[in-house]
Amino acid sequence: MLGARGKVGAEVCRAVEAAPDTELVASVDAGDDIAALVEAGAGVVVDFTHPDAVMDNLRFCIEHGVHAVVGTTGFDQARLDQLETWLADAPGVGVLIAPNFSIGAILMMRFAAQAAPFFDSVEVVELHHPSKADAPSGTAGRTAELIAAARREAGSAPMPDATSTGIEGARGADVDGVRVHSLRVRGLVAHQEVLLGTAGETLTIRHDSLDRISFTPGVLVGVRAIADRPGLTVGLDGFLDIE
Ligand SMILES: NC(=O)C1=CN([C@@H]2O[C@H](COP(=O)(O)OP(=O)(O)OC[C@H]3O[C@@H](n4cnc5c(N)ncnc54)[C@H](OP(=O)(O)O)[C@@H]3O)[C@@H](O)[C@H]2O)C=CC1
Ligand SMILES: O=C(O)C1=N[C@H](C(=O)O)C[C@H](O)C1
């Protein structure tokens, strides 16, 4: 486990230890030597660290032939391309990058993409604890990309928005043409709403992670499957039995 003392890492350690078919062989956090993972004979590394740390961690894992299941956020296309390059020199090694491991969030993203072409307007609001390093969240970024792709495929018109003046930032971030708004509020864990609207009606799709144990079943799914999925996989969807 990389990030073993972190908020999610600590939950993952407990889940791995509690599962009958997985064993926690090494717990590494900031300041520890990552080589401990290889020395302990880890077959799979789980990374919940920091966007600034994760690429170095993954280069180490790939170079040492260790599969990786990654929850850490901060992956843009350039980073994914870099991983593909490293993986090309490491046949058989699998890396799973999942912006969100909770089943509810995965379904929320799917439902949002499914609904997006049927509405004139779609915006994303993500709400998290204030110690979160990145904004917008990885989940919100991925949701916006999926919404944009679904609308492109359907030939949807641009979203209506007459804003021409105001304070910068008031309309949120533009992710692939979809507005994403980030709230950081003490007491929250991880929440997201997708608001869709058309003439005379709105639809709101909301997901709430109320506890970080919501992420651990998905992480275990990834840990069990990654050795059979060489190369780079983005999103846990392909590991689950959902159409
Ligand atoms: N995909 C998903 O389902 C989810 C993803 N996340 C993402 O996971 C990441 C971690 O989140 P969270 O647990 O809340 O964050 P935390 O800050 O609570 O935990 C991260 C831990 O990683 C440690 N760390 C930092 N750098 C390294 C390194 N190079 N090697 C080993 N450990 C390191 C930190 O140490 P220190 O504090 O000393 O720096 C800290 O203990 C974030 O990117 C977050 O967005 C979170 C929830 C779900
Ligand atoms: O930092 C968090 O807490 C979370 N990070 C992930 C993200 O950025 O999407 C997943 C979840 O939202 C919790």
Side-chain angles (χ1 to χ4, degrees):
M1 181 71 216
L2 272 169
R5 290 194 292 272
K7 291 185 283 300
V8 182
E11 283 299 344
V12 173
C13 287
R14 280 190 277 277
V16 167
E17 284 181 316
D21 57 339
T22 54
E23 187 187 354
L24 182 67
V25 296
S27 299
V28 174
D29 206 271
D32 299 334
D33 186 0
I34 192 172
L37 300 169
V38 173
E39 284 156 18
V44 178
V45 164
V46 177
D47 188 306
F48 279 84
T49 58
H50 191 282
D52 292 344
V54 67
M55 289 303 280
D56 285 345
N57 292 343
L58 289 178
R59 183 169 52 195
F60 178 89
C61 292
I62 293 167
E63 281 175 1
H64 288 82
V66 183
H67 308 294
V69 170
V70 183
T72 307
T73 46
F75 286 89
D76 56 11
Q77 194 54 49
R79 284 187 167 204
L80 297 176
D81 291 346
Q82 178 66 77
L83 291 178
E84 296 269 27
T85 303
W86 291 338
L87 283 163
D89 294 330
V93 176
V95 173
L96 167 63
I97 309 286
N100 203 308
F101 280 96
S102 94
I103 184 66
I106 292 165
L107 291 171
M108 174 262 295
M109 287 188 260
R110 285 208 159 205
F111 297 156
Q114 198 179 353
F118 295 97
F119 292 83
D120 294 337
S121 306
V122 191
E123 301 210 4
V124 178
V125 183
E126 56 96 336
L127 311 91
H128 282 83
H129 56 95
S131 61
K132 181 164 178 55
D134 55 329
S137 71
T139 306
R142 177 86 174 145
T143 308
E145 287 167 5
L146 293 172
I147 287 169
R151 288 176 69 87
R152 264 194 304 274
E153 195 177 323
S156 304
M159 296 184 209
D161 182 357
T163 311
S164 62
T165 182
I167 297 174
E168 195 184 337
R171 292 287 295 115
D174 180 334
V175 180
D176 215 354
V178 179
R179 291 284 160 182
V180 179
H181 310 267
S182 298
L183 280 64
R184 298 289 175 265
V185 180
R186 179 93 54 213
L188 295 181
V189 177
H191 318 259
Q192 182 167 298
E193 284 190 5
V194 181
L195 294 91
L196 307 103
T198 195
E201 61 175 318
T202 63
L203 170 66
T204 302
I205 302 169
R206 180 172 173 117
H207 174 258
D208 297 275
S209 269
L210 305 169
D211 190 302
R212 291 179 177 85
I213 57 170
S214 59
F215 305 116
T216 59
V219 172
L220 288 177
V221 167
V223 166
R224 292 180 180 117
I226 191 63
D228 297 324
R229 307 284 186 121
L232 179 64
T233 305
V234 178
L236 190 65
D237 308 44
F239 290 53
L240 302 171
D241 194 16
I242 45 174
E243 280 306 310

